[in-house]
Amino acid sequence: MKIHGLSSASRCLAAEGGVRGLSSSSGPRVCIVGGGPAGFYTAQQLLKDAAVDIYERLPVPFGLVRFGVAPDHPEVKNVINTFTQTAQHERCSFHGNVNVGKDVTIDELRQAYHAVVLSYGAEGNRSMGIPGEDLPGVFSAKDFVGWYNGLPSNKELHPDLSFETAVILGQGNVALDVARILLAPVEMLKETDITQNALEALAGSKVRRVLIVGRRGPLQIACTIKELREMVNLPNTRADMLPADFEGIAEALKDLPRPRKRLTELMMKAVKEGGDDKAEKCWGLRFFRSPVEVLAGADEKRAAGIRLALNKLEGSGESVRAEVTGQLEDVDCGLIISSIGYKSIPIDPAVPFDPRRAIVPNEMGRVQDTAGLYCSGWVKRGPTGVIATTMNDSFDTARVLIQDMEAGKLDLSVNKPGAQAITALLQTRGVRMVLFSQWEKINAEEEKRGKSLGKAREKLLDVDEMLCRAK
Amino acid sequence: MAAFTAVRAAVSFTQRFVRVSRDCSVCPLYRLNVCTGAAVDGFSAPNRRLPKRAGWVDLLLYSRVNVVFIDRSGQRIPVKARVGDNALHLAHKHGIELEGACEASLACSTCHVYVSSEHYEKLPEPEEREDDMLDMAPMLQENSRLSCQIILTPELDGMELTLPKVTRNFYVDGHVPKPH
């Protein structure tokens, strides 16, 4: 049963011209920078009252829904249907292959539109800041996930999967996704939209043991229960936990709020039951450990292990923090994946940026000291949360923008040229835009290639190839 | 006149039902003790076949379920639905602002609603996958459910589904709802 998202309701309103009774040639024009969930959800709400243009750096839309959500979570990607309806709305235009900050500046966008919304997410990576981090064999989770999900800039990653043990730093959902993809039987992956080269690399992988390391304790683990349950239920694997890490946890259970309680109970069950001893693969959570150095092998050429510092917890409740004890532990491993968070980067010198928090400083989505500039999604709040979190946040920003329009804080009396002016500018600069109908050609090609391989789709990995298909 | 309308409703209901199942025991008319045997004799002379024990009003109302949605601004939106309707689909049909990002596949929590307490008890227990997704919903309460998993039955008549106020804008006084 296909259930349509909100856009069908908002489309009905829009057909009557919405609240403002606008026609397609005049009325407020808003520009959104970033074609991922934040961009599309913000657009969805704005379309009732404005014409919306979305600019995206890649030729293909959908951001982390395409490049971040794990291949074995296709239902999470259903949201693409809602985004597609939004893009196909008569007052919405998608412009792919446009690099805002390079091909066109924020100031040029602000001149062409009544308001600009920054929804460009977090493409950078928090580094561990430890010696040996740049040795071969060490990857950021962002790059590893980008590799198996077909992000063009990660296609040459070639991670070496010939080692028995992999260590992942961080215990959020991204860390658990990586662990699951490393240990899942190939049968579970071969019909998904995982890239063919990743599938082949994983089929030949020698990785049998994955440790997922966090600096605090079980009660602070950042993943959610769905992902943990998938690890517990993973075929042909067993859980390898340290009972010592769980001292005192059973007693704390009764006072926990429901989500934390259920998550902790599941972990305790994994500690107790462990799983099938005959399983050839294993995974384990390791707590109270922070990375201090990546150890090179005898030849000094690549990573062969990681040195962890043991912590103790100080404080209580939400402000529990890890403090060093001075004890160290070395773990032999050939694959190290750092999954400690994504990070936004500044897009344009004209936009304020807070380098400490790595977000655009804002008040409820209004960019500080800059009238007519807004933000939504990770670049506004920081890189945490699931699609639903970004959805609520984007709806908030849209609401604030509409309020500002109605309160006269944006000068709507002047007509703005919108995409007409920007398209002309881009043409003089030799930029080839990809419209949504052209993405649909790329989409059809990917589905066709996937079909011949028995997969949901085979993603194009090369921007030039995407542009070629888009003609 | 009204009785005749009731019989015609019963006949058309039976005609539709018979196409789905020829097993009398699952037919609501049979279970309500108002079966006129019309299906057996090919619907001849329907005028003479009035329901006997239960009132014809019960018959007309059987498949109808009244639901009230309470949107994020507190506005009450009464909706007429039928047994078997999916609550999320119903919300969309009536323009209620309830997202269903994953399209009812238990992979998100965007269709989260609060169920009126007397009807919450009448819902079947959530499966583990629904509970896992509910754990991620902001402002979870004891009467929280995912509306894509609510299928209407006659006992749910009068149910009220309230949309959670999830935006930060709402609690300007700093009030923090008690987490469950």
Side-chain angles (χ1 to χ4, degrees), chain B residues 26-162:
Chain B
V26 305
C27 175
L29 297 180
Y30 178 86
R31 293 164 102 186
L32 272 177
N33 261 337
V34 296
C35 173
T36 61
V40 176
D41 66 6
F43 300 104
S44 62
N47 309 38
R48 285 192 265 123
R49 295 191 176 276
L50 289 174
K52 289 190 175 46
R53 276 164 295 258
W56 56 267
V57 176
D58 294 310
L59 196 78
L60 279 178
L61 292 179
Y62 175 78
S63 62
R64 158 85 71 233
V65 180
N66 294 297
V67 173
V68 177
F69 284 99
I70 300 169
D71 75 12
R72 297 184 211 281
S73 64
Q75 193 193 0
R76 294 175 65 86
I77 303 151
V79 149
K80 292 193 195 310
R82 300 207 161 277
V83 168
D85 279 351
N86 176 298
L88 177 62
H89 197 189
L90 189 65
H92 289 166
K93 216 165 83 167
H94 293 268
I96 313 267
E97 289 205 352
L98 195 53
E99 284 296 317
C102 75
E103 296 177 2
S105 52
L106 287 178
C108 78
S109 58
T110 58
C111 70
H112 171 212
V113 291
Y114 303 132
V115 182
S116 40
S117 38
E118 64 273 26
H119 299 96
Y120 180 80
E121 308 298 323
K122 301 195 172 120
L123 292 172
E125 286 283 310
E127 56 175 285
E128 188 176 72
R129 288 170 60 209
E130 180 182 348
D131 270 334
D132 284 355
M133 286 301 115
L134 274 171
D135 280 358
M136 304 210 295
M139 289 156 52
L140 189 67
Q141 288 178 180
E142 289 200 29
N143 60 339
S144 284
R145 290 297 299 261
L146 296 182
S147 54
C148 69
Q149 302 298 302
I150 298 176
I151 305 297
L152 298 182
T153 59
E155 310 83 71
L156 296 178
D157 187 45
M159 177 169 65
E160 296 188 348
L161 298 177
T162 307

Side-chain angles (χ1 to χ4, degrees), chain A residues 4 6 78 229 258 262, chain B residues 92 99 102 132-133 135 167:
Chain A
H4 293 282
L6 176 62
N78 282 346
R229 206 184 288 287
R258 178 190 126 148
R262 290 180 79 241
Chain B
H92 289 166
E99 284 296 317
C102 75
D132 284 355
M133 286 301 115
D135 280 358
T167 67

Side-chain angles (χ1 to χ4, degrees), chain A residues 69 102 216 341 422:
Chain A
V69 175
K102 183 167 141 305
R216 294 186 295 176
I422 301 299

